[in-house]
Amino acid sequence: MQEPLLGAEGPDYDTFPEKSPSPGERTRVGAPQNKRVFLATFAAVLGNFSFGYALVYTSPVIPALEHSLDPDLSLTKTQASWFGSIFTLGAAAGGLSAMVLNDLLGRKLSIMFSAVPSAAGYALMAGAHGFWMLLLGRTLTGFAGGLTAACIPVYVSEIATPSVRGALGATPQLMAVFGSLSLYALGLLLPWRWLAVAGEGPVLIMILLLSFMPNSPRFLLSRGRDTEALRALAWLRGADTDIRWEFQQIQDNVRRQSTHMSWAEARNPHMYRPILIALLMRFLQQLMGITPILVYLQPIFESTAVFLPPKDDAAIVGAVRLFSVLIAALTMDLAGRKVLLFISATIMFVANLTLGLYVHFGPKPLTPNSTMSTMGLESVSLGGTEQPLATPSSYLTLVPLVATMLFITGYAMGWGPITWLLMSEILPLQARGVASGLCVLVSWLTAFALTKSFLLVVNAFGLHVPFFFFTAICLASLVFTGCWVPETKGRSLEQIESFFRTGRRSFLH
């Protein structure tokens, strides 16, 4: 039977029941024992740690391989560009596979499956004796990252309660940032091959821990495994928690969506609106420039006049990024999603504008860097003007570091974690597996296009041009947030889905 269009109401919609749970039931349901939820979340988001680690692997490795004495591993400008960007193609393929695996294997098993390409990719890069092994290893780790990026937010949102879902929804981004920071820190100590070996550790720990965790109760119910779903929910909430009302709400919602989404249903506003919002958020998130900035962070610093050594600047930015995501995790359920998205986009707008103006009008580095020579940034005419040479003691050269820290802070406070969280919150259960994979596919195809074209644009027009483009996207994201994005703070997934079905906006105020 076809579901009613957006705005329709009927007796089947019991997400807002006439008879609400009693105060005692609300207390028991709203204040569960979350320790096991935290453990299951930690086990899952170890996959995001590996994703963040692998994403920025090129930052210290590209400069090292440019000076390699092995001719089979010494990177040219074109090879460095492919080595930095092919990760995003692998991630897009991982998102595409998640469209099938998320619903076929389930959220938990899909996350565990990602360990296979991840471990293989790190092994290939650790033992690489040719450029093709580096590319294949980078592609495989990207595939694993794309798969986990689609599956982990869904798994976390489906096992969490509304009271902690915002904080837990920030943990995938938090762990990805921690993984990147770990790579930057280890890059100061370890050779590039051992950096790949170190990446195997979190993958093995993730497999071990997840083998003891339950699957998502919502996924189990969608497969008709009601008894197993009840046991999973009881384990997650704790023995002393009354789960009857929560289980009934999840069960009723799953029964209404017992079949896969058809093309006819996809044309209904309650289906395509949340999917379109999630897709556009992922698209805008990448167009803000986060991936090329992270991938080429150290080379970008080496192409500008900076106060500190570029490698130290990259590590400092990684630490700031981790601190900013921690702030987002603590404020997500207090300030709300939309407020943080507005603040985030505004901060990134200021940061990108500052970076563009500094590169265009500011001082140039004292000497061209060999890394930039290989990557093609040393010959960039920054706006066609003659900038003064920077002196080591000039405090003006702190601007790139401070502006980049500001950009990372803004991204990590809002558009980084909240985009993933909202994707897992607003997507309808009937299409959640496929749509989350589609979001990751769009995200990483966009990231590949930006990362691959970044150096080409810089060489053709100057390093300031990408930053001005990112500035314009930040303005567009402010408009999009105000017009399209709903506030989901403190609401169950069933309530959020009912909002898109019935058009009831009262719970969002």
Side-chain angles (χ1 to χ4, degrees):
M1 183 175 180
Q2 183 152 342
E3 298 287 348
L5 295 175
L6 185 67
E9 297 186 19
D12 290 338
Y13 292 95
D14 59 353
T15 304
F16 305 93
E18 294 296 328
K19 183 178 183 300
S20 300
S22 67
E25 285 178 307
R26 285 186 180 275
T27 300
R28 290 192 295 273
V29 173
Q33 296 176 355
N34 285 309
K35 292 181 180 179
R36 290 178 177 178
V37 175
F38 296 155
L39 178 60
T41 299
F42 174 75
V45 297
L46 282 172
N48 290 100
F49 179 96
S50 184
F51 164 71
Y53 187 96
L55 175 64
V56 300
Y57 178 75
T58 53
S59 185
V61 173
I62 285 179
L65 291 179
E66 287 166 356
H67 299 93
S68 175
L69 299 179
D70 186 346
D72 294 328
L73 294 175
S74 181
L75 300 184
T76 64
K77 180 177 70 173
T78 302
Q79 288 174 329
S81 175
W82 274 108
F83 188 45
S85 61
I86 202 169
F87 178 93
T88 57
L89 278 185
L96 188 63
S97 68
M99 297 171 66
V100 177
L101 295 178
N102 226 344
D103 289 326
L104 181 65
L105 299 179
R107 292 49 158 145
K108 188 188 85 165
L109 290 180
S110 296
I111 298 169
M112 296 178 71
F113 175 77
S114 71
V116 177
S118 183
Y122 282 127
L124 279 169
M125 290 188 289
H129 53 74
F131 181 59
W132 70 270
M133 294 181 71
L134 292 173
L135 286 185
L136 182 57
R138 187 96 171 117
T139 304
L140 287 173
T141 54
F143 180 90
L147 182 56
T148 56
C151 299
I152 291 175
V154 175
Y155 178 74
V156 171
S157 71
E158 289 186 348
I159 67 174
T161 58
S163 61
V164 297
R165 196 175 61 243
L168 293 184
T171 55
Q173 182 71 13
L174 177 64
M175 289 299 285
V177 171
F178 189 56
S180 298
L181 178 59
S182 299
L183 187 280
Y184 290 137
L186 289 175
L188 301 174
L189 305 172
L190 298 178
W192 65 271
R193 291 187 187 274
W194 283 101
L195 287 176
V197 173
E200 301 277 11
V203 177
L204 299 177
I205 298 173
M206 179 190 73
I207 284 287
L208 179 63
L209 290 179
L210 273 180
S211 62
F212 296 101
M213 300 298 115
N215 214 321
S216 160
R218 288 172 174 83
F219 169 76
L220 295 173
L221 281 170
S222 70
R223 291 296 177 267
R225 295 151 64 179
D226 293 22
T227 303
E228 190 177 346
L230 183 60
R231 286 200 304 265
L233 188 62
W235 187 91
L236 289 165
R237 300 296 180 257
D240 298 330
T241 304
D242 187 350
I243 62 170
R244 291 173 296 174
W245 183 76
E246 182 182 5
F247 185 77
Q248 184 64 45
Q249 293 299 299
I250 298 173
Q251 193 175 49
D252 291 345
N253 190 49
V254 170
R255 283 174 180 171
R256 284 198 299 267
Q257 305 181 66
S258 58
T259 59
H260 290 291
M261 180 181 64
S262 65
W263 284 111
E265 290 173 317
R267 292 195 293 270
N268 288 338
H270 75 267
M271 282 290 184
Y272 72 71
R273 277 191 64 212
I275 294 174
L276 185 60
I277 290 172
L279 284 172
L280 288 174
M281 287 194 75
R282 300 297 304 140
F283 184 62
L284 287 172
Q285 183 200 50
Q286 288 297 333
L287 286 182
M288 290 175 181
I290 185 63
T291 301
I293 288 176
L294 289 179
V295 169
Y296 300 121
L297 184 59
Q298 186 172 325
I300 287 173
F301 280 138
E302 290 178 338
S303 70
T304 57
V306 289
F307 188 74
L308 298 174
K311 185 179 290 189
D312 294 343
D313 284 334
I316 291 172
V317 169
V320 169
R321 188 176 170 214
L322 178 63
F323 178 73
S324 302
V325 178
L326 280 172
I327 294 176
L330 294 174
T331 58
M332 195 91 69
D333 288 315
L334 298 175
R337 282 54 156 164
K338 290 190 71 167
V339 171
L340 289 178
L341 286 175
F342 279 124
I343 294 173
S344 171
T346 302
I347 292 175
M348 286 190 289
F349 168 80
V350 173
N352 278 318
L353 182 61
T354 301
L355 281 168
L357 292 174
Y358 178 84
V359 171
H360 188 60
F361 297 109
K364 294 193 294 185
L366 287 172
T367 57
N369 184 276
S370 59
T371 299
M372 293 298 99
S373 176
T374 303
M375 297 190 67
L377 298 184
E378 88 291 354
S379 60
V380 175
S381 174
L382 304 179
T385 59
E386 290 296 327
Q387 293 92 353
L389 293 177
T391 60
S393 60
S394 174
Y395 288 102
L396 184 63
T397 57
L398 282 171
V399 170
L401 175 60
V402 173
T404 305
M405 289 166 60
L406 191 64
F407 173 82
I408 294 296
T409 298
Y411 177 84
M413 285 181 62
W415 277 84
I418 293 178
T419 303
W420 292 108
L421 173 62
L422 273 173
M423 178 192 77
S424 62
E425 287 183 325
I426 68 176
L427 291 178
L429 177 62
Q430 198 170 357
R432 195 168 292 160
V434 173
S436 62
L438 182 61
C439 287
V440 174
L441 175 65
V442 169
S443 174
W444 289 109
L445 285 178
T446 306
F448 171 75
L450 276 181
T451 309
K452 192 71 180 70
S453 62
F454 183 81
L455 298 181
L456 299 176
V457 172
V458 168
N459 286 327
F461 304 106
L463 184 57
H464 60 288
V465 172
F467 289 116
F468 288 147
F469 172 76
F470 302 151
T471 301
I473 296 298
C474 290
L475 280 178
S477 70
L478 285 169
V479 177
F480 175 79
T481 301
C483 297
W484 284 72
V485 178
E487 178 58 72
T488 59
K489 180 184 71 172
R491 301 298 167 179
S492 70
L493 299 184
E494 285 67 44
Q495 286 177 313
I496 296 168
E497 190 161 330
S498 181
F499 158 68
F500 283 106
R501 285 183 178 275
T502 66
R504 297 183 183 181
R505 296 180 175 274
S506 59
F507 85 90
L508 295 177
H509 298 320

